[in-house]
């Protein structure tokens, strides 16, 4: 089988753990949680992993200056020179933008609604465009003068992982030569209250894969990659797998079959098997149903010995941004010389009713596979059984 890799030229991110790779990865490998605070969401007190507004720089163009785009700006600032070099090399019309998100602008609409309720008119300059699915992508295009293809995904918690699939399809179809791919999301009032209505949120910071797990904690994040089919670094997305359970509108398929199909498809796409994988980044939301399903799926395909962790206990569940953010964490793990993996933070109480998954301890090191490579798989399992897995490879010899 001939694989179609996406070579990673650069990547950047912003979440509650920060945006500097060295500082962030130090927290990942030690299992240090970001700041999750109890907050008031319209009278409902919930833990959330939100980034303070005063730590996000404003955007000079007032049309695009909202919280979602400020997060995107923070992530892109860390990879700005690489993007501009790619535009110079390929041309602005040959760069694609593929983005995933769940809530792009409800914050602006809620503020506008308050003004309307008080005065009878919307604020001057307010447009419903702020809530369009492509609003962050439009900001990226405007910032860089990119005129190539633009596609956005709103496949719930798999949104930015789904964006990688579209990016590869369009690059190998010749529609573009390189792409900015990733996602952004915020723990907005409608999203928090929506998850609360589903009784999916924990009363404490999330505790994934524990017997005592009781739900998720939402968080803010943006994460973006610059990818191409030209081999530019040792990091690549080697395989992508998708499946659609359609088993329930919100709950995952309980036996984990959809997740198994997705991971198998990603490995087959990469011309690999389960034994090649050195580390699994779990979707690991901390809800009773997700963690039960995923433990069954991971154990069925990989057995009990492949190291795995959910980083959502450290960052919160960043929804549409989670797929790209956790792919970035995989890249940091694969490329660091020491081989440290993101630690799995939980209370240590194992659920004996579930198949065993080997959870990574702080400062645990990854072992190369039998080919001397480092391979990770990152899982994103969303509402409606929309499942995406990414196989990420480092060809660097350690």
């Amino acid at each position: 089988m001939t694989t179609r890799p996406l070579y990673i030229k650069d990547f950047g991110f912003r979440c509650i753990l920060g945006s500097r790779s060295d500082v962030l990865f130090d927290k990942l490998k030690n299992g240090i949680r970001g700041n999750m605070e109890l907050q008031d969401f319209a009278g409902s007190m919930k833990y959330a992993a939100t980034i303070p507004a005063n730590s996000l720089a404003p955007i000079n163009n007032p049309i695009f200056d909202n919280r979602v785009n400020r997060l995107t700006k923070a992530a892109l600032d860390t990879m700005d020179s690489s993007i501009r070099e790619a535009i110079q090399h390929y041309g602005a019309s040959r760069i694609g933008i593929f983005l995933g998100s769940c809530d792009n602008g409800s914050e602006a609409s809620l503020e506008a609604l308050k003004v309307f309720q008080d005065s009878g008119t919307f604020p001057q300059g307010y447009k419903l465009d702020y809530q369009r699915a492509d609003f962050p992508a439009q900001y990226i295009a405007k910032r860089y003068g990119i005129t190539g293809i633009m596609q956005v995904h709103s496949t719930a918690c798999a949104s930015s992982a789904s964006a990688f699939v579209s990016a590869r399809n369009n690059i190998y179809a010749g529609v573009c030569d390189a792409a900015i791919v990733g996602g952004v999301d915020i723990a907005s009032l409608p999203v928090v209250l929506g998850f609360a209505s589903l009784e999916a949120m924990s009363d404490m910071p999330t505790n994934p894969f524990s017997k005592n797990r009781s739900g998720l904690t939402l968080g803010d994040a943006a994460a973006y990659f610059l990818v191409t089919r030209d081999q530019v670094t040792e990091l690549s997305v080697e395989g992508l797998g998708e499946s659609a359970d359609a088993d329930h509108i919100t709950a995952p398929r309980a036996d984990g079959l959809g997740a198994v199909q997705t991971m198998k498809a990603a490995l087959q796409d990469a011309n690999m098997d389960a034994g090649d994988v050195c580390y699994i980044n779990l979707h690991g939301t901390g809800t009773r149903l997700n963690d039960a399903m995923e433990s069954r799926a991971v154990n069925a395909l990989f057995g009990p010995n492949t190291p795995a962790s959910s980083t959502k206990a450290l960052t919160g569940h960043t929804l549409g941004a989670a797929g790209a953010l956790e792919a970035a964490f995989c890249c940091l793990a694969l490329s660091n010389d020491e081989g440290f993996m993101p630690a799995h933070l939980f209370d240590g109480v194992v659920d004996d009713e579930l198949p065993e998954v080997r959870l990574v301890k702080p400062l645990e090191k990854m072992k190369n596979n039998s080919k001397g490579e480092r391979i990770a798989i990152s899982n994103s399992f969303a509402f409606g059984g929309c499942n995406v897995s990414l196989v990420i490879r480092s060809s660097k010899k350690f």
Side-chain angles (χ1 to χ4, degrees):
M1 179 186 295
T2 301
T3 62
R4 300 184 301 163
L6 284 175
Y7 289 102
I8 299 168
K9 172 67 174 173
D10 204 352
F11 58 95
F13 43 78
R14 179 69 169 96
C15 66
I16 59 166
L17 296 181
S19 58
R20 277 184 50 184
S21 294
D22 55 344
V23 174
L24 180 143
F25 195 68
D26 186 68
K27 295 176 182 178
L28 286 177
K29 71 185 183 183
N30 284 286
I32 300 173
R33 173 177 281 134
N35 189 30
M36 295 183 184
E37 293 184 323
L38 197 60
Q39 300 179 37
D40 186 348
F41 291 91
S44 180
M45 301 301 293
K46 299 295 179 185
Y47 278 92
T50 54
I51 296 170
N54 60 9
S55 70
L56 296 171
I59 294 169
N60 293 332
N61 187 334
I63 294 174
F64 292 107
D65 190 24
N66 71 351
R67 184 172 179 79
V68 165
N69 287 336
R70 288 187 183 191
L71 272 169
T72 286
K73 177 184 184 300
L76 294 176
D77 283 349
T78 67
M79 52 190 290
D80 186 77
S81 60
S82 296
I83 294 172
R84 296 189 186 279
E85 287 172 8
I87 293 169
Q88 185 174 10
H89 180 72
Y90 295 111
S93 66
R94 299 296 300 170
I95 307 292
I97 299 171
F98 302 89
L99 186 144
S101 185
C102 296
D103 183 4
N104 299 320
S106 67
E107 54 163 351
S109 292
L110 286 172
E111 290 300 319
L113 178 61
K114 290 178 184 177
V115 174
F116 180 83
Q117 289 171 332
D118 292 339
S119 66
T121 60
F122 286 106
Q124 185 177 3
Y126 170 73
K127 297 180 180 179
L128 195 57
D129 288 359
Y130 296 164
Q131 207 165 321
R132 282 173 45 173
D134 67 344
F135 193 57
Q138 293 285 358
Y139 162 65
I140 297 172
K142 182 71 173 179
R143 169 173 171 155
Y144 292 107
I146 292 171
T147 57
I149 185 173
M150 179 189 301
Q151 290 185 355
V152 295
H153 294 261
S154 191
T155 49
C157 307
S159 295
S160 55
S162 298
F164 279 92
V165 180
S166 289
R168 188 180 70 170
N169 289 346
N170 281 276
I171 286 175
Y172 278 92
V175 177
C176 54
D177 295 312
I180 298 169
V181 55
V184 59
D185 244 319
I186 58 175
S188 65
L189 176 62
V191 171
V192 170
L193 294 184
F195 275 94
S197 71
L198 295 172
E199 300 181 349
M201 296 193 67
S202 175
D203 291 333
M204 296 296 293
T206 189
N207 192 18
F209 286 81
S210 167
K211 183 176 183 178
N212 301 320
R213 67 190 184 279
S214 60
L216 53 81
T217 302
L218 295 175
D220 300 336
Y224 293 96
F225 286 70
L226 178 62
V227 297
T228 176
R229 64 176 163 225
D230 301 327
Q231 186 165 4
V232 285
T233 68
E234 74 275 4
L235 287 171
S236 58
V237 180
E238 288 287 320
L240 303 103
E242 294 182 291
S243 71
D245 293 352
D247 188 64
H248 187 275
I249 194 169
T250 56
R253 179 167 168 154
D255 61 8
L257 181 59
V260 170
Q261 290 174 334
T262 304
M263 293 185 286
K264 276 186 176 179
L267 290 168
Q268 290 170 358
D269 188 50
N271 199 22
M272 297 179 188
D273 58 40
D276 293 322
V277 174
C278 308
Y279 166 71
I280 305 166
N281 186 278
L282 302 163
H283 187 59
T285 61
T287 63
R288 299 208 65 79
L289 296 180
N290 174 91
D291 293 4
M293 172 279 294
E294 193 170 10
S295 66
R296 294 182 184 108
V298 167
N299 184 278
L301 185 57
F302 295 97
N305 297 317
T306 302
S309 64
S310 168
T311 48
K312 289 181 175 67
L314 309 178
T315 65
H317 188 350
T318 60
L319 299 172
L325 181 67
E326 291 163 19
F329 294 167
C330 287
C331 288
L332 294 175
L334 293 172
S335 59
N336 78 92
D337 289 340
E338 296 90 350
F340 291 116
M341 295 176 286
H344 184 89
L345 178 65
F346 77 131
D347 63 6
V349 182
V350 175
D351 190 341
D352 294 329
E353 295 181 3
L354 299 179
E356 183 180 356
V357 174
R358 190 163 88 70
L359 301 173
V360 176
K361 295 179 174 60
L363 297 178
E364 186 174 343
K365 295 186 177 182
M366 184 187 306
K367 294 180 180 178
N368 297 349
N369 65 20
S370 60
K371 302 172 186 175
E373 301 172 321
R374 292 182 182 175
I375 307 292
I377 189 166
S378 182
N379 289 333
S380 298
F381 302 140
F383 282 171
C386 181
N387 304 315
V388 183
S389 292
L390 308 178
V391 174
I392 304 169
R393 172 177 177 261
S394 173
S395 61
K396 181 179 177 181
K397 300 301 180 183
F398 294 91

